[in-house]
Every structure is written in structure tokens, then in C-alpha cells.
Amino acid sequence: MASEITYAEVKFKNDSSAAVIKGPPPETKKHEHHPKKYLPWLPWLISLLLFLVCIALVVLLAVLFSHSADQPPALQQNFTEWLCNSMVPQGKEQGWTCCPNGWKRFRESCYYFSEDLLSWVESEQNCTGMGSHVVVINSEAEQNFLSEAMKSLGGQNYYIGLRAQEVGQWHWVDQAPLNVTAAFWRTGEPTNSTAEPCVVIHRQTAPPNNWNDIRCERHNRICEAAAVTVRWRS
């Protein structure tokens, strides 16, 4: 008996799709924020510039308050507000002439006309305390300027820096003797009395001759100081 051979038909299904290997998703590369890098010498440069600016400001202030050798240092220490006028240019040099606010300027000097009354000694102390002195009159032009400036004021008598150390011996506060060619006495003055060693400008007497010797009692005063000058070359 012949053995039977059994055939079985086997079909293999051919899957053409490629095998997909699944794994964890690829890591997304995060965008890194790096801080901006400054040049290492930049802070030093900024510090140097600030230092130079400070020096420039100090130099500027020193120039603005430069003054002539006879300028009392106390004047600018006592006042913070100033009134300045342009100087007449001299060649390449230009500048300003300044007086404390409320003072009047004539040429290279500043003048203060008081509203209160003091004795002559107190007047001298008050002017000195402001960095000035009781006015010294050197010319008829200066005398006329003071007389004109006083017209709108309310005082009667204004002390000037002239006083008799001995009868008839008139000296200014800077110890200079009175120059008779620049003396502006009222008619009949001075009386040359021991009781009247001080001198005032009498406001209601017509200039230029309006000086009067008087008792050293309480009167108005005129203080004088050299103007502050600011110069530069163009």
C-alpha cells in the first residue's frame, strides 16, 4: 500500500511596508539665551569720562568766579545770585562783569545802598562782613553816579568811607588821604568840628557837591566792592 502524500498549500503574505521602529521622541533642542558680553574695559571708560566731566565742572566754576587780586574773597561767599553784563571785547578777549543781585555797578565796582540805619562803625563792620568796604570816591564821575543812583532811594544821608582821625585830617577807610581835587563838599562844609568826624552824601543836595560832615550816628550807608570778572579768549 502506497503511502499517501498530503500536500498543503501555504501562502505567505508579503508585507511590503517597512517595519517602523518606535522609540522615544527626539529631544527638542532648546534655544539657549546667552547674556550679552560687554567689553571688560567699558566700565573703566565710563568712570574715566565721569571723572573728566567732574574736573571740567570744577574748572568752569573756578573760571566763573575768578576775580582781580583786590577782590575780597568774602563777596562771592555771601551771595549766590549775580547780575552780569557783557564786557567790551578787547582783541580776542571777551567776558562778563558781575555784581551781586541788588547791587548797582559802575565801571569795575559794585555798590550796595542800604535801607537800614547804622552808626559809622557798625556800617564799616557791615560792609566788611559782606566782603566790601564803605565806599571810597575817586572821581567826579563816580560821585555823580552815586548821587544819581540815590535819587530814587528813601534815605536822607548815606555814609561814605571818609572820616577825620583828627580835626581837618580826612582819610578814607583804606587810609588814603583825601585828594582835594576829588572832594565834593556842600557849601559851607566841612565844619571841621570834633563833634562831626564822619561824612555822608546828602541825598537832597544837588550833585556833585553834596558831602556833609556829621555826627557818627545812625544813617544809611554805601558799600563798595570790586566787580567779579569772567574772561575768556575767543
Side-chain angles (χ1 to χ4, degrees):
M1 178 177 169
S3 58
E4 292 181 1
I5 299 174
T6 303
Y7 295 92
E9 185 176 2
V10 179
K11 293 183 179 181
F12 293 91
K13 187 176 181 180
N14 186 17
D15 191 352
S16 61
S17 60
V20 177
I21 302 175
K22 294 183 179 181
E27 294 185 0
T28 303
K29 188 175 182 181
K30 295 183 179 179
H31 181 71
E32 298 181 0
H33 295 277
H34 297 284
K36 295 182 179 179
K37 294 183 179 179
Y38 292 97
L39 299 176
W41 45 263
L42 185 59
W44 293 97
L45 178 61
I46 294 175
S47 299
L48 178 61
L49 291 176
L50 291 175
F51 178 71
L52 293 176
V53 169
C54 292
I55 292 179
L57 290 175
V58 171
V59 172
L60 178 61
L61 290 175
V63 171
L64 288 177
F65 287 98
S66 62
H67 47 77
S68 57
D70 59 345
Q71 172 66 29
L75 186 64
Q76 64 268 23
Q77 295 176 3
N78 282 275
F79 301 95
T80 56
E81 296 184 7
W82 298 76
L83 181 63
C84 299
N85 300 100
S86 178
M87 296 171 55
V88 177
Q90 298 179 354
K92 294 184 178 181
E93 191 174 63
Q94 302 181 44
W96 297 84
T97 303
C98 305
C99 288
N101 192 28
W103 292 48
K104 298 181 183 296
R105 186 179 70 85
F106 177 71
R107 295 179 178 172
E108 301 302 318
S109 293
C110 305
Y111 301 88
Y112 169 74
F113 297 81
S114 77
E115 297 180 354
D116 60 330
L117 308 177
L118 294 174
S119 68
W120 196 93
V121 172
E122 292 172 332
S123 295
E124 184 181 28
Q125 293 172 346
N126 176 261
C127 292
T128 301
M130 292 190 294
S132 61
H133 55 78
V134 189
V135 63
V136 174
I137 301 173
N138 298 304
S139 67
E140 184 172 348
E142 185 178 18
Q143 165 71 9
N144 288 331
F145 163 78
L146 297 173
S147 300
E148 184 66 27
M150 291 168 57
K151 286 183 178 180
S152 61
L153 305 178
Q156 182 76 8
N157 295 308
Y158 286 77
Y159 276 127
I160 62 176
L162 188 64
R163 190 176 183 183
Q165 298 176 347
E166 298 180 11
V167 175
Q169 301 296 314
W170 301 101
H171 287 77
W172 294 102
V173 289
D174 59 4
Q175 300 305 312
L178 175 63
N179 183 352
V180 295
T181 62
F184 306 99
W185 298 105
R186 293 173 63 188
T187 302
E189 302 290 346
T191 60
N192 287 325
S193 166
T194 56
E196 297 181 339
C198 294
V199 181
V200 296
I201 293 179
H202 185 67
R203 183 178 64 86
Q204 295 179 334
T205 301
N209 298 316
N210 54 12
W211 291 2
N212 186 29
D213 59 345
I214 199 170
R215 294 178 181 273
C216 301
E217 297 174 341
R218 294 169 63 84
H219 298 289
N220 297 93
R221 63 198 173 279
I222 305 174
C223 302
E224 178 186 7
V228 171
T229 56
V230 181
R231 295 187 177 92
W232 66 87
R233 295 181 67 83
S234 58

